[in-house]
Amino acid sequence: MEFNTKLLHGSSISKNPNREILPPISQVSAFRYENMEELEKVFQHRSMGYAYSRIGNPTLSAFERRINELEGGVSAVCCSSGMSAVTAALLAVCKTGDEIIAGSGLYGGTIDLFHDLEKLGIHTVFLDGLDSEEVRKAINEKTRVVFGELISNPSLKVLDIPAVSQIAHDAGIPLFVDSTSATPYIARPLSLGADVVIHSASKYINGGGNSIGGVIVDGGKFPWDFEKHTALEEFKRYSKRAFGVRLRTDIWENLGGCMAPVNAFLSYIGLDTLGLRMEKICENADRLAKALNEIEGIKVNYLTLPGHPYHVYVEKELSGYGGGILTFRAGSKEKAFRIINSLKYALIASNIGDLRTLVIHPASTLYIHSNEAEREAAGVYEDTVRVSVGIEDADDLIKDFTAAIENSDTGGYI
Ligand SMILES: *Cc1c(COP(=O)(O)O)cnc(C)c1O
């Protein structure tokens, strides 16, 4: 089955008892049982069943099964947000005294989380772009996980998953990949060598900009060494599934970051059109990037532009697509603001992955608390404009951005 057919008819699609085509929203806190013996069995994991929605809920399970199938994993857990997914995934493998190796140019919330983990005695070594040789040198006896984003935003660096996972695996370390900007339509990190995939479902997976969510998928292939990964020691008997089991029955349950059933439903129906949306979004982004790059004085950063430093990965890892995010440098902050303010269709909003084109000036918003070095590592300058391209008609977007840029020279507004 190709992607869209699998999405709609894959083995994970629920056969609902009342023949509903979509999973019903089980908007309940708890589930009742006929007798105590039955509930006891559920608590002992001796029989399948739901007890309490923080620990499991049929709407969440339907969404988890579907994303698990798309990513090719063995189990998935959905979370209240992308940040709650990143937190749970890392805390499942790290203890005080352990180290994480992470790329630079990561999502701001993730960088802040690494600073929080520092206070718990979990140290992060940040590398520029996760070059495989640098990773090899940075791995030491305390390293427990290598963490990177497949396509960083807004710097648009691509993680070389086959090379980096090889080096991590040689040292007995798993690779966790945040694939939010790539989506399962563009890339399947597990098939490239990653061990765990994380998404903020708030972005492209939901796609309609109507709920916050996150998801973690376990590839189930990593040969855990329980003397090194002592955080998983109690789950030794699950062998290669130890991470997934610890995550679900321990860390995720106890952190309490479950997804709301209605958000799982919204993310589930968002997924229905993931393939269609990504196809259109990537085509629009490619056309807009190429058109804006022709304008004098405008420097565009987009993966499919010839000469982009990560261009080769478009074919190697991203199925020929460049994703939905592009940035351009306007020349000055003032000019960037004038362009943004005069756009007719792009909404000024701090989000990505919506159906609608969204635009923001990252230096004065998302990176307001970062220093200059951190901003440059993230590809953010005083004059950078970030565009999360939507599904409008490409010709309209091109006209809108071109007019906004041309008018910005005179300070005029349309
Ligand atoms: C948005 C985002 C997150 C955080 O997700 P939330 O759903 O906002 O908590 C993590 N990683 C990446 C790459 C993101 O874009």
Side-chain angles (χ1 to χ4, degrees):
M1 270 188 277
E2 300 289 323
F3 186 88
N4 286 312
T5 313
K6 192 196 256 182
L7 193 55
L8 300 175
H9 304 287
S11 58
S12 62
I13 297 300
S14 307
K15 306 276 185 288
N16 296 311
N18 296 314
R19 300 171 191 266
E20 300 95 339
I21 285 175
L22 292 169
I25 306 172
S26 294
Q27 190 64 26
V28 294
S29 313
F31 300 79
R32 61 179 281 271
Y33 283 80
E34 288 305 316
N35 53 58
M36 215 26 248
E37 285 76 7
E38 273 183 47
L39 187 55
E40 182 185 33
K41 275 192 212 147
V42 171
F43 269 72
Q44 291 171 335
H45 301 295
R46 286 196 292 124
S47 97
M48 295 286 283
Y50 298 99
Y52 186 61
S53 284
R54 170 163 53 73
I55 296 166
N57 174 287
T59 318
L60 273 60
S61 302
F63 175 59
E64 289 167 346
R65 279 196 300 270
R66 204 174 190 203
I67 199 101
N68 184 56
E69 182 177 20
L70 291 180
E71 288 289 7
V74 297
S75 64
V77 169
C78 64
C79 304
S80 55
S81 66
M83 284 317 304
S84 119
V86 175
T87 307
L90 292 172
L91 289 183
V93 285
C94 293
K95 300 207 304 202
T96 302
D98 290 346
E99 282 190 12
I100 299 166
I101 294 177
S104 68
L106 297 174
Y107 180 70
T110 305
I111 296 176
D112 289 348
L113 172 68
F114 286 133
H115 294 152
D116 293 331
L117 293 180
E118 207 71 48
K119 292 172 195 141
L120 302 178
I122 299 169
H123 176 59
T124 301
V125 179
F126 290 98
L127 298 180
D128 188 28
L130 285 186
D131 168 78
S132 46
E133 268 320 298
E134 278 188 59
V135 173
R136 190 196 301 278
K137 285 190 216 132
I139 289 177
N140 63 38
E141 73 287 351
K142 292 183 185 164
T143 312
R144 294 295 172 268
V145 58
V146 177
F147 179 94
E149 288 176 16
L150 177 48
I151 307 178
S152 65
N153 156 35
S155 54
L156 304 186
K157 293 174 186 166
V158 181
L159 177 61
D160 188 337
I161 295 179
V164 173
S165 62
Q166 187 61 59
I167 288 192
H169 293 168
D170 287 349
I173 309 292
L175 173 66
F176 286 17
V177 174
D178 178 336
S179 192
T180 301
S181 313
T183 81
Y185 183 66
I186 292 185
R188 258 82 56 207
L190 298 177
S191 71
L192 296 169
D195 302 289
V196 169
V197 186
I198 300 162
H199 288 281
S200 164
S202 323
K203 316 293 170 53
Y204 295 98
I205 286 178
N206 175 290
N210 58 45
S211 64
I212 299 292
V215 62
I216 307 162
V217 183
D218 178 22
K221 293 209 182 99
F222 188 75
W224 299 100
D225 169 354
F226 298 96
E227 282 175 20
K228 182 196 280 286
H229 285 98
T230 50
L232 295 176
E233 220 171 3
E234 273 177 62
F235 298 84
K236 204 171 170 168
R237 66 182 181 282
Y238 297 101
S239 181
K240 288 183 178 173
R241 287 174 174 250
F243 169 82
V245 178
R246 171 163 205 227
L247 185 68
R248 175 167 289 281
T249 64
D250 188 22
I251 283 286
W252 171 79
E253 245 185 58
N254 297 334
L255 283 177
C258 60
M259 198 182 231
V262 70
N263 288 359
F265 176 79
L266 291 168
S267 304
Y268 185 102
I269 57 175
L271 261 184
D272 283 345
T273 57
L274 180 70
L276 272 181
R277 283 185 283 112
M278 290 317 289
E279 196 65 45
K280 179 72 174 161
I281 284 172
C282 293
E283 185 198 321
N284 280 358
D286 178 71
R287 287 190 53 197
L288 184 62
K290 285 174 180 159
L292 298 187
N293 210 31
E294 294 294 310
I295 303 175
E296 219 185 295
I298 298 293
K299 274 193 235 132
V300 180
N301 180 14
Y302 186 64
L303 284 166
T304 60
L305 291 176
H308 191 284
Y310 290 87
H311 187 78
V312 292
Y313 294 101
V314 169
E315 291 304 329
K316 260 171 75 176
E317 295 188 55
L318 307 176
S319 320
Y321 299 100
I325 294 160
L326 65 88
T327 67
F328 64 88
R329 296 188 62 178
S332 68
K333 175 179 175 181
E334 292 68 31
K335 197 168 160 185
F337 271 40
R338 283 201 298 273
I339 293 170
I340 291 173
N341 291 342
S342 62
L343 287 164
K344 280 191 289 188
Y345 305 127
L347 309 179
I348 301 174
S350 151
N351 192 14
I352 58 167
D354 200 290
L355 294 163
R356 291 149 276 258
T357 295
L358 308 178
V359 69
I360 200 163
H361 181 255
S364 60
T365 53
L366 310 169
Y367 289 85
I368 194 159
H369 300 301
S370 313
N371 59 38
E372 206 173 310
E374 288 168 336
R375 281 185 200 174
E376 286 196 12
V380 171
Y381 303 89
E382 271 306 293
D383 61 342
T384 301
V385 175
R386 183 187 75 183
V387 187
S388 169
V389 180
I391 63 162
E392 297 90 347
D393 293 297
D395 289 337
D396 287 333
L397 290 178
I398 292 169
K399 267 190 242 154
D400 192 19
F401 276 86
T402 308
I405 290 167
E406 282 168 1
N407 284 312
S408 69
D409 282 332
T410 55
Y413 288 73
I414 310 170

